[in-house]
Amino acid sequence: MRSTRRTPRRTTLRTAAVVVGAAAVLAVPVGSAFADSSAGAAVAPGAPVVVRLADGAVAKVYKTGPNRFEADIFAGSTKLDTLVSRGGGVAYGRSDGLRVVLQPNGGVTSWMEGGEKSRPKPKPKPKAVAPAPVRVVMPDGRIAKLAADGAGAGAGGERAVISLPDGEVLGAIDLRHPSAVHDGWTYKLVRDGERVKFVVIDGRGGGSSWVYDFGSGKLVETYGVGAGAGARAGAGSGGLR
């Protein structure tokens, strides 16, 4: 059985903290034992959870606040150091071949240098999924497909593709090239505060216009020649089909 007596060299545990998502990884060669603990699920304010580490030392894990955990590392009666995880950060320490990681949920992982355990890698963030395009049938009979990138409407990735009813694409506009004209009809993307609107103007008929909410495709305003300042669309009118 391995002796847990410490040599005079081992009096402190060198520690560091990293934010989850950092690229640095602690390389570990193959050949020695490691120990895992899922103590994080059981750590609560008050009494500590005791975790035995890979070399026989122990970690006493405390929850000291919201998203904050501390682990006191002991070799026998000697306190080597304290690891602190706060705000979703990972804390790790090393001493004489022992590697200890305090995870953001209070869990502790330890191994001896030469073991088969590497520092835990953060889970990748899920990729943003772009919403499905909104289909609008415009007053001129043409079709507009309004689509935003994964950040959603209002984030700067808005795009409108204009096509004929048979699917033939006539062109596209975005916030960098926000307008296009075809057969006297003008199509525009307009930023209104944090919102984006899609506007259709009948240049041949005197300038009547229709304004659609980009995110939903619903007709929200109409302006007719000689109608004054314009009118809100009634409940029965809508451009989304």
Side-chain angles (χ1 to χ4, degrees), residues 17-28:
V18 297
V19 175
V20 173
V25 174
L26 188 62
V28 179

Side-chain angles (χ1 to χ4, degrees), residues 2-240:
R2 178 181 171 184
S3 170
T4 60
R5 187 179 61 184
R6 302 294 180 269
T7 65
R9 289 192 310 118
R10 181 174 178 180
T11 57
T12 60
L13 186 70
R14 288 178 289 171
T15 63
V18 297
V19 175
V20 173
V25 174
L26 188 62
V28 179
V30 175
S32 295
F34 62 86
D36 259 337
S37 169
S38 58
V43 178
V49 172
V50 178
V51 179
R52 185 162 297 277
L53 304 179
D55 69 342
V58 297
K60 294 183 178 180
V61 185
Y62 301 82
K63 185 172 184 178
T64 56
N67 297 320
R68 180 185 171 99
F69 294 88
E70 296 185 10
D72 292 333
I73 311 300
F74 287 90
S77 60
T78 302
K79 182 177 179 180
L80 301 178
D81 211 333
T82 298
L83 305 183
V84 179
S85 170
R86 61 170 69 89
V90 175
Y92 64 94
R94 55 187 296 180
S95 177
D96 288 351
L98 175 67
R99 303 290 185 265
V100 183
V101 175
L102 176 61
Q103 302 174 22
N105 68 346
V108 174
T109 303
S110 70
W111 66 95
M112 296 302 298
E113 191 172 74
E116 298 176 352
K117 192 74 172 179
S118 62
R119 267 180 54 197
K121 297 180 180 179
K123 295 181 180 179
K125 294 182 178 180
K127 294 182 179 180
V129 178
V134 175
R135 184 175 184 269
V136 175
V137 178
M138 298 178 290
D140 60 357
R142 299 185 177 99
I143 308 298
K145 289 186 178 180
L146 312 180
D149 60 17
E158 292 80 5
R159 175 181 172 87
V161 178
I162 313 300
S163 64
L164 295 176
D166 63 4
E168 180 184 350
V169 175
L170 300 176
I173 56 177
D174 56 33
L175 290 176
R176 292 180 301 175
H177 307 90
S179 65
V181 178
H182 190 272
D183 288 344
W185 289 79
T186 300
Y187 312 100
K188 300 180 69 174
L189 289 179
V190 178
R191 183 176 289 281
D192 182 8
E194 294 184 357
R195 300 174 59 192
V196 174
K197 296 179 178 179
F198 175 61
V199 181
V200 180
I201 303 172
D202 180 6
R204 297 188 306 179
S208 296
S209 60
W210 295 259
V211 181
Y212 300 85
D213 175 71
F214 188 92
S216 66
K218 291 182 179 179
L219 181 64
V220 293
E221 298 174 61
T222 58
Y223 296 87
V225 177
R232 291 281 177 180
S237 60
L240 181 62

